[in-house]
Amino acid sequence: MNLQPVILCGGAGTRLWPLSREQYPKQLLALAGDDTLLQATARRVDKSLASSGRKVLPPIVVANEDYRFITAEQLRQAGVVPAAIVLEPVGRNTAPALTLAALVALQAGEDPVLVVMPADHVIAGVEAFRAAVTHGASHAEAGKVVTFGIRPTFPETGYGYIRAGKSLEGQDGGREIKAFTEKPDSATARSYVASGEHLWNSGIFVLRASVWLNQLQARRPEMVQACRAAFEARKPDRDFLCIDKDAFAGCPADSIDYAVMEKLPEGLGVVIPLDAGWSDVGAWDALWHLGTRNADNNVLQGDVVTVGTRDTLAISQSRLLALVGLEDVVVIETPDAVLVAHMDNMQQVKDVVAQLKREGRSEADTHRKIYRPWGYYDSIDAGNRFQVKRIVVNPGAAL
């Protein structure tokens, strides 16, 4: 069977504010290398997997229409030509997004194995990941629903957990899925880590397109119906596939986990332990753990000077950032906003974004840079009766 990569480009842009915004979520940022997270994801499942005897198809990308131009431009820069960029007119979580991708994948009359990946994860061990995908595809071809589990290193309450059952035949380490638990409290998370039976839910899935639609139809038929109606009324627009807004707006919102994975019949689900340096980069402290630290245990990016500062993450985008006498702190500077927070309070960054939204502040949603089909403009100054923009046009483009 062919392998069909599916890249889900969701995200509200709240937990990594101010670098990430609602219209510029974290997958568009280069947080762990030269590539953005989206570009790294698009390269992760490539033709090297053809050695498994399976053809790897161009990826299907599902993205919000608010950031379609920068999504397309980043894929172009990475040399990735997608099979389709499907635009969601409104956000409805991951289950409807995967349903749209499955409908696209079935158009050619085949039933490929979907390799479903969030666009905003970091996976350092790419070869280990590809080996796990190869093992997962074998189970998926037999009609199983496969996910990858990460061995927990601490009792994280922000992740879902998978209880692994008995080992399956073969050398891939696959185990039956006994249960899913979404974001437990601290005491429960500690018991899960101590038990040795639970894995973090990576949010990456391998399954046939028809299997996904059949399982969703059995549990959420109204979701399948709404997605089919929106897909049948689709319209191509340049490099994009535009889904009908009215039909899709009527689709219920739900995640892959809640809609299907937590309700799988016994014996259908398979979890494969994955040791590949995975992180969902869910908050700024995760980036500090991922980064290269200096002698003072600081992770520094951009023009940053530190004196007597330890265990700190500092990123400067547009000016000199000087830190004196700080410890366990995150400082993020962008041209229009600065975040200063203690490392223990990373989950409260989203509360800042919520307050900005209540006050009608544009900094909650957009950067100064606004992307268009031809490039971008940067609003470098503005007043009551004037605005100054720097306009950058992509090679070969025009406006």
Side-chain angles (χ1 to χ4, degrees), residues 52-66:
S52 67
R54 303 176 180 91
K55 180 180 178 182
V56 180
L57 303 173
I60 297 170
V61 179
V62 185
N64 189 294
E65 65 180 15
D66 286 342

Side-chain angles (χ1 to χ4, degrees), residues 5-11 15 26-28 36-45 60-62 67 93-94 97-98 114-123 129 146-148 201-206 255-257 274 278-281:
V6 174
I7 303 175
L8 304 182
C9 299
R15 293 187 291 176
K26 66 179 177 179
Q27 67 261 21
L28 303 176
T36 66
L37 299 186
L38 168 62
Q39 291 169 329
T41 303
R43 297 178 195 270
R44 200 167 289 144
V45 178
I60 297 170
V61 179
V62 185
Y67 42 87
N93 214 319
T94 54
L98 177 52
L114 307 181
V115 183
V116 186
M117 303 171 287
D120 56 0
H121 289 183
V122 169
I123 294 180
F129 173 76
V146 182
T147 188
F148 302 108
N201 178 12
S202 70
I204 303 169
F205 304 94
V206 181
S255 69
I256 294 169
D257 292 339
L274 177 65
W278 172 91
S279 173
D280 74 341
V281 200

Side-chain angles (χ1 to χ4, degrees), residues 229-259:
F231 182 72
E232 289 170 0
R234 67 192 180 278
K235 295 180 181 178
D237 178 15
R238 298 167 62 94
D239 299 327
F240 308 104
L241 192 63
C242 298
I243 301 303
D244 184 75
K245 183 174 183 178
D246 292 337
F248 197 65
C251 181
D254 208 350
S255 69
I256 294 169
D257 292 339
Y258 282 132

Side-chain angles (χ1 to χ4, degrees), residues 312-323:
T312 287
L313 170 68
I315 298 176
S316 172
Q317 282 200 329
S318 66
R319 73 199 83 182
L320 171 64
L321 197 58
L323 310 182

